[in-house]
């Protein structure tokens, strides 16, 4: 895989320089799609993709993701936001407007297992993940050489039960200004102090379908149960351990013939692809959180 060339990057930027994404959540009622579409038409925008979902047409919650092109978007973005505010207020909307060609800044956290980290780095290097990876943070030095070979800064911050608060302050400082933190098999529990600044902006990968086989040695537990499916779950991190809103899941069929090591190998393959999908969907503003669930637009 090759890093996007300057020419390819300029082509991508040119293609998307006037493209924006609007995310909307509000009480469902008649007229929402018409109001948003009419507003964009009046602004001279061309809608290129629109997805919507309602939990209940009568009394539910309405969700919408809409992409549009608008000439001179960079110059007009703030103007569009101000002009849309009365429309949003009339429908009680929670909403955001994002410029598609603006890269989000990402921090990756990892411990010793490298499979999820490498998958993200490879996809980033190939241009599949449109983001700036600002730093990789780890509590071990093992991955430093690999990460720095990608031209990405590496911060090793050891964590023990005695220095955890201090270590977390260093981690927060290292990740300052990022839009997303990805726990690529980072094997430390984040404190509420850490989480409060990154609500629904930290993604974790977990073996199996949550909450199955929690705790130590999950694949050994699965083997003893004679499972026929193994899987992985990517979710947003909340204070309740491994119970945040689920973004993506997948499974691999297995049989009695697989031993524990084979289960682990298959599990790693599922983990890396599930996490990469979840990160990509977040970067492309395809995920809306509703309570402890997500709406993920294709």
């Amino acid at each position: 895989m090759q890093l996007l060339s300057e020419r390819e990057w300029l082509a991508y930027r040119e293609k998307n320089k006037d493209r924006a994404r609007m995310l909307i959540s509000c009480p469902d009622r008649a007229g929402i799609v018409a109001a948003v579409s009419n507003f964009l038409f009046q602004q001279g925008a061309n809608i290129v993709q629109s997805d919507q979902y309602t939990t209940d047409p009568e009394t539910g919650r309405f969700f919408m993701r809409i992409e549009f092109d608008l000439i001179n978007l960079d110059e007009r973005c703030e103007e569009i936001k101000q002009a849309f505010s009365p429309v949003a207020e009339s429908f009680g909307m929670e909403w955001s407007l994002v410029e598609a060609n603006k890269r989000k800044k990402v921090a990756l956290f990892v411990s010793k297992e490298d499979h999820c980290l490498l998958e993200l780095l490879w996809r980033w290097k190939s241009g599949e993940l449109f983001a700036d990876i600002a730093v990789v943070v780890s509590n071990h030095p093992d991955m430093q050489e690999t990460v720095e070979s990608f031209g990405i800064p590496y911060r090793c911050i050891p964590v023990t039960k005695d220095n955890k608060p201090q270590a977390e302050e260093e981690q927060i400082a290292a990740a300052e200004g990022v839009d997303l933190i990805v726990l690529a098999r980072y094997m430390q529990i984040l404190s509420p102090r850490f989480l409060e600044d990154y609500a629904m902006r930290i993604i974790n990968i977990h073996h199996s379908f949550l909450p199955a086989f929690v705790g130590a040695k999950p694949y050994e537990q699965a083997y003893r149960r004679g499972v026929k499916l193994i899987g992985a779950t990517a979710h947003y991190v909340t204070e309740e351990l491994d119970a945040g809103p689920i973004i993506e899941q997948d499974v691999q069929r297995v049989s009695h013939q697989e031993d524990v090591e084979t289960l682990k190998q298959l599990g790693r393959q599922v983990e890396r692809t599930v996490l990469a999908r979840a990160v990509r969907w977040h970067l492309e503003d395809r995920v809306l959180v509703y309570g402890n669930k997500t709406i993920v637009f294709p």
Side-chain angles (χ1 to χ4, degrees):
M1 293 186 178
Q2 298 296 318
L3 184 63
L4 281 181
S5 68
E6 183 68 16
R7 181 177 179 181
E8 290 171 325
W9 160 236
L10 290 174
Y12 179 93
R13 187 176 177 85
E14 181 64 25
K15 178 183 176 182
N16 293 278
K17 69 183 180 68
D18 290 325
R19 181 159 297 182
R21 304 175 185 132
M22 185 177 286
L23 302 178
I24 295 169
S25 170
C26 62
D28 198 4
R29 56 180 262 203
I32 300 172
V33 175
V36 174
S37 301
N38 186 55
F39 169 82
L40 293 175
F41 171 75
Q42 291 175 345
Q43 300 300 320
N46 178 41
I47 296 172
V48 295
Q49 184 176 1
S50 181
D51 297 284
Q52 52 267 344
Y53 169 75
T54 180
T55 61
D56 186 330
E58 299 297 328
T59 60
R61 190 82 178 168
F62 178 83
F63 302 89
M64 187 175 191
R65 179 187 185 272
I66 190 164
E67 286 198 6
F68 61 90
D69 290 335
L70 180 64
I71 296 174
N72 297 324
L73 174 68
D74 188 50
E75 299 173 9
R76 296 192 59 196
C77 194
E78 290 305 315
E79 169 198 333
I80 297 297
K81 289 179 180 179
Q82 292 179 19
F84 187 70
S85 291
V87 179
E89 186 175 349
S90 67
F91 286 92
M93 292 178 179
E94 297 176 11
W95 65 284
S96 63
L97 181 63
V98 180
E99 294 177 72
N101 71 344
K102 297 293 179 68
R103 292 175 182 262
K104 292 180 175 63
K105 292 181 66 177
V106 179
L108 306 180
F109 280 48
V110 65
S111 289
K112 288 188 174 183
E113 294 190 63
D114 63 0
H115 57 288
C116 287
L117 173 69
L118 290 175
E119 184 73 20
L120 294 173
L121 292 178
W122 290 332
R123 294 191 184 218
W124 167 78
K125 188 173 182 179
S126 73
E128 185 177 333
L129 295 179
F130 185 67
D132 286 329
I133 300 180
V135 65
V136 172
V137 177
S138 180
N139 53 330
H140 297 282
D142 303 54
M143 297 304 299
Q144 182 165 354
E145 184 177 351
T146 299
V147 170
E148 290 180 347
S149 73
F150 284 84
I152 298 170
Y154 188 87
R155 285 290 310 277
C156 179
I157 304 173
V159 180
T160 68
K161 63 180 181 180
D162 297 321
N163 80 335
K164 189 173 180 68
Q166 178 185 350
E168 282 202 346
E169 290 300 325
E170 292 183 41
Q171 291 170 337
I172 291 170
E176 183 178 5
V178 303
D179 303 293
L180 175 68
I181 292 176
V182 182
L183 307 183
R185 296 299 287 162
Y186 179 67
M187 308 307 290
Q188 294 286 328
I189 297 173
L190 303 181
S191 71
R193 159 73 181 89
F194 197 118
L195 298 178
E196 66 184 7
D197 293 332
Y198 291 97
M200 303 306 154
R201 292 193 295 139
I202 303 177
I203 296 176
N204 188 32
I205 184 69
H206 193 282
H207 51 77
S208 80
F209 278 155
L210 295 173
F213 309 124
V214 298
K217 298 185 176 181
Y219 289 104
E220 284 80 354
Q221 296 181 53
Y223 178 76
R224 289 196 297 270
R225 287 290 305 275
V227 297
K228 301 301 182 280
L229 291 172
I230 58 172
T233 296
H235 62 97
Y236 288 117
V237 178
T238 60
E239 289 189 35
E240 187 177 355
L241 185 63
D242 294 330
I246 292 171
I247 306 169
E248 171 63 339
Q249 294 179 300
D250 205 350
V251 295
Q252 170 74 51
R253 292 202 64 87
V254 296
S255 73
H256 61 277
Q257 295 179 325
E258 276 79 39
D259 59 18
V260 173
E261 287 306 310
T262 304
L263 293 182
K264 288 181 179 179
Q265 292 172 12
L266 294 171
R268 292 188 195 105
Q269 293 175 19
V270 180
E271 288 174 12
R272 60 199 299 168
T273 56
V274 167
L275 181 60
R277 284 184 210 139
V279 171
R280 181 172 183 174
W281 293 341
H282 180 98
L283 293 174
E284 294 177 354
D285 306 295
R286 297 185 181 277
V287 186
L288 286 166
V289 177
Y290 175 53
N292 202 45
K293 299 172 65 176
T294 60
I295 290 85
V296 181
F297 288 118

